[in-house]
Amino acid sequence: MSRTTKYTDMGWPEHDALWRYDLLSEPLLSSELRRLAGAASYDNTDSVTFQPCPNPEESNQDRYAVLNWTLSNGTWQFRVVLDGHAGHDTVEHTLRTLPVIIRAALEGLVLENEESSVEAVSRILSDAISSLDDNLTNDLLDLFPDVDAVSKLSDDEIRRTINDQESGGKKSSIVMRCMRGTTVLASLVDPTRSNIWVASLGDCQAALGTRQADGRWETSVLSSYHNGANARERERVMSEHPGELECVIDGRVLGAIAVTRAIGDHLFKLPSAYTKRVFLNATPGFSITKKIEDFIGRNITPPYVSNCADVRHAKLGKEGSYLVMCSDGLLDLYENTGMDIEALADFWIHLLVRREKPWNDSNLALYLLRDALGGEDVERVSRMITVEMPFRWMDDTTIVVQKL
């Protein structure tokens, strides 16, 4: 077991800089990765959530939850992965609130009908996500009901209203939850373990591998890819804003945000006056105000970012299944392989089934993360987890693997 100091340009020679990293030998490398990734196991589920940048300002904005709910008809299994962006406010609020909303609705459905229909459970998931976001909108509109209400106030009056941290911060919290955003990937398994639902809002991904009676594994993607790089989503946004040539630029909504569906991100859901007068007067503000100012003029007929989730249902086989849920950081780590999401889903499932790699770890999520970071390439993995850079060299990456 050893640690050797080395230097790297991380493949970015244009920065004209070298950064220090530690070359770790086994078993130190595996144990350090496990620690940094917060590897955890609960019931039938393994998880990791990983952002190795040592700068506190670059801390991980992903969140996840592994919950089992015992209702009158048995135990339902709920798992969720949230990919927060622009700050922690919206993703933290969603983590606290969304499971509560879904469980309450599910309890009501079960009381009405022990045999819950596929459609009814799907509606619970989609309605919970959209209603959570609608509540964020309504809370803000309680403060500023319309554009006229905003325009009648001076900047000082708006600042005094929304920057109320010294008196409890209730109004500040309302504004921050609208300024920041998060994607949602939520799964639900019924008490018989024969049905699974996956709701997706944004670009996190879910892959289901189901073992067939003949021993083969069948893989399917149970999530949508709500991102401007997706031609179907790009065309949807453009069709909702006819004649607005800049509603999507270079795969980004209004040239600014990659995801086309999310909770929060009300800069893309409300008239531009709210951004100019409310959001830009909030403290703390945006990390780069210039980017905000660049796209305000393109905001003509909001909303541009949707809060409508897609929900897919699948039957679970009796031979066993794996569900892999991940934030888009995992996809980014494979971007040079040329694999699309269907190919990646199949690759991940078969990687778990075979378990042939020498870093064979009991935590299946950690096993997938190790492969994505470099696998058997000890130097690459060491560099990825220990390099001392002040800014991110990889996206937040969260993986949840459920054995069904």
Side-chain angles (χ1 to χ4, degrees):
M1 183 170 67
S2 66
R3 181 190 298 258
T4 304
T5 297
K6 301 190 74 173
Y7 291 87
T8 177
D9 65 3
M10 291 298 285
W12 300 329
E14 64 274 12
H15 282 267
D16 193 27
L18 293 176
W19 295 281
R20 180 188 181 278
Y21 74 97
D22 292 332
L23 176 60
L24 307 178
S25 65
E26 295 290 7
L28 180 59
L29 177 60
S30 292
S31 65
E32 186 66 359
L33 176 58
R34 170 178 281 272
R35 181 186 70 82
L36 291 170
S41 297
Y42 174 77
D43 190 26
N44 62 350
T45 303
D46 297 331
S47 61
V48 292
T49 186
F50 184 62
Q51 175 48 254
C53 183
N55 184 348
E57 294 182 0
E58 300 284 2
S59 62
N60 195 342
Q61 296 179 38
D62 281 2
R63 301 291 187 273
Y64 73 93
V66 175
L67 301 171
N68 291 340
W69 299 327
T70 301
L71 307 185
S72 60
N73 68 337
T75 300
W76 292 74
Q77 300 178 45
F78 176 77
R79 311 290 186 260
V80 65
V81 172
L82 307 171
D83 184 351
H85 47 265
H88 301 268
D89 304 85
T90 312
V91 71
E92 284 286 354
H93 177 74
T94 303
L95 183 66
R96 290 192 304 269
T97 309
L98 184 62
V100 176
I101 297 173
I102 293 173
R103 176 171 181 165
L106 193 59
E107 285 177 331
L109 179 65
V110 169
L111 286 174
E112 292 175 5
N113 183 1
E114 289 285 320
E115 298 297 326
S116 307
S117 71
V118 169
E119 294 77 14
V121 175
S122 295
R123 281 196 301 274
I124 282 175
L125 290 171
S126 59
D127 288 352
I129 290 169
S130 59
S131 67
L132 191 158
D133 189 63
D134 289 342
N135 288 339
L136 298 184
T137 306
N138 293 334
D139 287 344
L140 186 69
L141 294 181
D142 284 342
L143 299 178
F144 307 101
D146 51 42
V147 172
D148 286 341
V150 173
S151 63
K152 291 176 182 176
L153 298 172
S154 68
D155 284 346
D156 285 341
E157 288 173 320
I158 290 175
R159 291 189 194 106
R160 285 196 296 271
T161 299
I162 65 177
N163 299 323
D164 64 340
Q165 291 89 339
E166 292 184 1
S167 58
K170 182 178 180 180
K171 295 174 183 177
S172 173
S173 294
I174 289 171
V175 173
M176 289 299 152
R177 290 166 190 163
C178 290
M179 289 171 60
R180 319 309 183 191
T182 185
T183 65
V184 178
L185 183 68
S187 70
L188 197 59
V189 176
D190 69 359
T192 66
R193 296 197 179 193
S194 56
N195 294 282
I196 184 170
W197 293 259
V198 173
S200 54
L201 184 82
D203 50 13
C204 293
Q205 296 295 303
L208 178 69
T210 303
R211 193 168 190 253
Q212 307 301 300
D214 61 5
R216 293 180 302 106
W217 283 82
E218 185 176 285
T219 303
S220 56
V221 176
L222 294 186
S223 52
S224 300
Y225 188 59
H226 300 141
N227 187 292
N230 180 340
R232 182 176 297 178
E233 275 296 285
R234 191 165 60 247
E235 290 166 5
R236 178 188 64 79
V237 175
M238 294 174 70
S239 70
E240 293 174 359
H241 303 278
E244 295 183 37
L245 301 181
E246 294 185 318
C247 63
V248 180
I249 302 174
D250 296 330
R252 290 182 171 268
V253 178
L254 301 186
I257 189 171
V259 292
T260 54
R261 307 192 197 193
I263 288 177
D265 294 315
H266 282 66
L267 291 76
F268 306 93
K269 296 176 179 177
L270 293 172
S272 59
Y274 284 88
T275 299
K276 294 176 182 176
R277 303 298 316 287
V278 179
F279 300 145
L280 286 174
N281 275 312
T283 302
F286 300 102
S287 58
I288 305 177
T289 301
K290 179 67 167 60
K291 287 186 178 180
I292 310 300
E293 295 169 342
D294 284 345
F295 75 80
I296 286 178
R298 301 179 189 128
N299 182 353
I300 302 169
T301 58
Y304 294 88
V305 171
S306 169
N307 65 12
C308 297
D310 285 333
V311 182
R312 300 186 188 181
H313 166 266
K315 282 286 187 179
L316 295 172
K318 297 180 180 179
E319 304 296 324
S321 302
Y322 286 116
L323 176 68
V324 176
M325 302 171 66
C326 66
S327 59
D328 68 323
L330 183 61
L331 278 68
D332 289 349
L333 291 171
Y334 288 98
E335 64 182 353
N336 293 327
T337 67
M339 289 189 281
D340 60 16
I341 181 56
E342 286 77 16
L344 280 171
D346 193 63
F347 174 77
W348 293 331
I349 296 301
H350 285 88
L351 198 65
L352 294 176
V353 170
R354 297 186 183 116
R355 301 289 300 283
E356 298 170 339
K357 301 298 183 180
W359 62 87
N360 201 349
D361 197 286
S362 59
N363 184 303
L364 300 182
L366 187 61
Y367 187 76
L368 291 181
L369 179 62
R370 173 66 182 262
D371 181 80
L373 291 173
E376 297 176 62
D377 187 338
V378 171
E379 183 151 345
R380 176 176 170 77
V381 177
S382 295
R383 188 168 62 243
M384 288 295 287
I385 73 173
T386 70
V387 65
E388 297 176 359
M389 296 173 65
F391 53 89
R392 295 183 179 201
W393 55 94
M394 62 173 284
D395 195 7
D396 301 334
T397 301
T398 298
I399 309 168
V400 172
V401 179
Q402 187 175 10
K403 302 178 284 288
L404 296 163

